Amino acid sequence: VLHLLFEFLTFKNDVDFWKSNTDLTGLSVRALWLDWMSQVVILLYLIEMDSSLLMTIPTGVGMVIALWKCQRGAGLKFVKVSAGEREKKAWYQSVFGVFGYELRATRLRAAADKTSESGSNDNNLAALTEEM
């Protein structure tokens, strides 16, 4: 029971940190994705071995939180697509558009907008770390 309490507190602090985090300075998005993939492997192993639910459920919750952190870190968001935008795209770009939503990398778009506004051609990587 004590282990579950500490795990819950870890989840709570992790979510609080990522909710209040406004930039990615010093954080690796690649490491976030690798953490999520390792969580998936661990969860699948626990399911295959018919492990106790006291181990499987917190691991599943941790996997969902890791996926949410990847989404926050990479800046991926589902954005509602208008009918005009749907018609302009190739078939492979509009897979999510069938449902009226599209997955966009908002961090990259914000960085491109900032570099075009400043008029500089250098790689402005600091713009990628800002939260929209």
Side-chain angles (χ1 to χ4, degrees), residues 14-20 36 62-73:
D14 209 10
V15 169
D16 287 343
F17 170 76
W18 279 94
K19 273 188 176 179
S20 64
W36 176 73
M63 186 199 65
V64 170
I65 291 173
L67 182 63
W68 174 73
K69 290 189 308 188
C70 292
Q71 177 266 329
R72 291 272 301 184

Side-chain angles (χ1 to χ4, degrees), residues 1 23 26-27 47 49 58 71 73 85 93 111 118 130-131:
V1 176
D23 65 33
L27 298 173
I47 290 171
M49 292 296 158
Q71 177 266 329
E85 290 179 351
Q93 293 175 331
S118 65
E130 294 178 6
E131 181 69 32

Side-chain angles (χ1 to χ4, degrees), residues 2 5 9-11 17 19 27 32 54 57 79 88 98 101 103 105 107 112 114-116 127:
L2 196 59
L5 174 70
L9 291 174
T10 302
F11 291 153
F17 170 76
K19 273 188 176 179
L27 298 173
L32 293 174
L54 289 175
I57 291 175
V79 180
K88 292 187 243 177
V98 172
Y101 287 90
L103 187 66
R107 262 188 222 292
K114 285 187 180 188
T115 56
S116 66

Side-chain angles (χ1 to χ4, degrees), residues 71-72 74-79 102-106 131-132:
Q71 177 266 329
R72 291 272 301 184
L76 300 174
K77 293 186 181 179
F78 280 104
V79 180
E102 180 178 74
L103 187 66
R104 291 187 184 165
T106 55
E131 181 69 32
M132 289 201 50

